[in-house]
Amino acid sequence: MSTGRMRAIRLTRWGGPPVLTEVTRPEPEGEEVAIRVEAVGLCRSDLHVVDAAPGALPYRIPFTLGHEVAGRVAERGAGATGPAVGERVVVHGPWGCGSCARCSAGADNYCDARAALDTARAGTGAGLGRDGGMADLLLVPSGRLLVPVGDLDPVQAAPLSDAGLTSYHAVAGVRAALGEGASAAVLGTGGLGHLAVQILRATTSAHILAVDVREQALAVAAESGAHFGTLLRPDTAEVLRRRTGGAGVDAVLDFVGSPSSLGLATALLRAGGELAVVGSGGGELTVRKPGALPAGLRISLPFWGTRPELEQVVALAREGALRVETEHFPLPRALEAFEALRSGGVRGRAVLIPG
Ligand code: FEH
Ligand code: ZN
Ligand code: ZN
């Protein structure tokens, strides 16, 4: 790698495979901060981006992938604030306009100007139309997007910024249903779901029921603290309802979001329950009264999470309440990691390591 250049995994054409290439090393200006990437997680959303048809996403190619990033502050622009050079951080990956009421509160995931950013094809985050962290360096628009992680291992820290944060935000959305004696079902215990189990154990007293189609993912759910786990079967709804005395579960966190998982969720749920649909598996629900959904059901469609929540996730990890199951790949083997994720063969979260 010559000086002034760096490695990057880029999307160079829609529907084409990501490519390992060299690009100009970013130089931070103004508020910008350059992060030396130590670990970057691979997300199912990266597959959605890579597989997107031309025009399906409001992003301008080429750009570098990677929205789940940990590393050290390498260089700061003259007007930069936040963590100092050398400090290890995770990056809050949704990059909103930075000035609306939501962004000012650290809720870039729900930026009020997102539609305008999409129209301008300005990208809405690291690796999401903006150059991301599957590279040696990541240029972050502002130090406000960085959360210090202290002495956390960067391979453990990177997944906190997406898999951990998204799970934490989803649990927050259903917390009202998780009082004393409550039960929660986690559908899909892969990269996000296994952390949701740990977050439920750490922040609620809910009885946790895990469902997946892979024995390996159920094993990770059990290690993460699930009280019960089952492979998806035709009678899974009845089995889980029986474990709740017949009333049904108080909350379902669906990390799959497929027609079958949404069908299972609505068959599981207690009247007055909460459903968080996190996965983008193409499932649909018909909301009609009278209709087939449980009376009093509240549905949330959580997206990522806020920076204050990311600080809370990092705090949980630093106190030992969260341990991410990871599989490591050196950056040049990124395509292998993409294929492993696509085939469902990753145990926990796949993490790329540039170093
Ligand atoms: C990113 C971009 C678009 C949809 C979903 C996502 C999630 O992976 C972020 O957690
Ligand atoms: Zn993601
Ligand atoms: Zn905004």
Side-chain angles (χ1 to χ4, degrees), residues 123-274:
T124 49
L128 303 166
R130 306 278 294 268
D131 280 341
M134 288 186 190
D136 292 302
L137 289 166
L138 167 66
L139 190 64
V140 180
S142 165
R144 72 180 183 89
L145 295 163
L146 304 178
V147 174
V149 297
D151 57 0
L152 271 185
D153 175 336
V155 176
Q156 281 288 307
L160 301 178
S161 64
D162 181 12
L165 176 56
T166 301
S167 302
Y168 187 91
H169 185 59
V171 170
V174 301
R175 191 173 297 283
L178 298 179
E180 198 55 40
S183 54
V186 178
L187 309 186
T189 58
L192 278 74
H194 85 286
L195 291 176
V197 171
Q198 294 181 35
I199 291 164
L200 284 166
R201 282 302 299 263
T203 64
T204 77
S205 59
H207 186 77
I208 304 165
L209 310 169
V211 182
D212 202 288
V213 293
R214 298 162 298 170
E215 286 286 3
Q216 179 196 84
L218 282 183
V220 174
E223 291 160 18
S224 295
H227 298 97
F228 175 77
T230 176
L231 287 173
L232 179 63
R233 293 195 176 92
D235 66 345
T236 296
E238 291 71 38
V239 167
L240 296 192
R241 289 192 81 93
R242 269 201 303 276
R243 291 189 67 90
T244 65
V249 296
D250 298 279
V252 172
L253 295 140
D254 182 354
F255 290 95
V256 183
S258 67
S260 68
S261 67
L262 286 179
L264 173 61
T266 51
L268 279 180
L269 273 157
R270 185 178 181 190
E274 303 259 1

Side-chain angles (χ1 to χ4, degrees), residues 290-316:
L293 296 180
L297 176 64
R298 280 192 293 261
I299 301 173
S300 57
L301 304 175
F303 172 63
W304 222 324
T306 68
R307 196 185 60 255
E309 287 174 325
L310 181 53
E311 289 161 357
Q312 289 155 30
V313 171
V314 168
L316 281 175

Side-chain angles (χ1 to χ4, degrees), residues 41-46 67-68 128 161-163 166 192 303-304 349:
L42 183 57
C43 178
R44 199 157 287 284
S45 304
D46 291 309
H67 60 268
E68 186 174 77
L128 303 166
S161 64
D162 181 12
T166 301
L192 278 74
F303 172 63
W304 222 324
R349 197 70 160 172

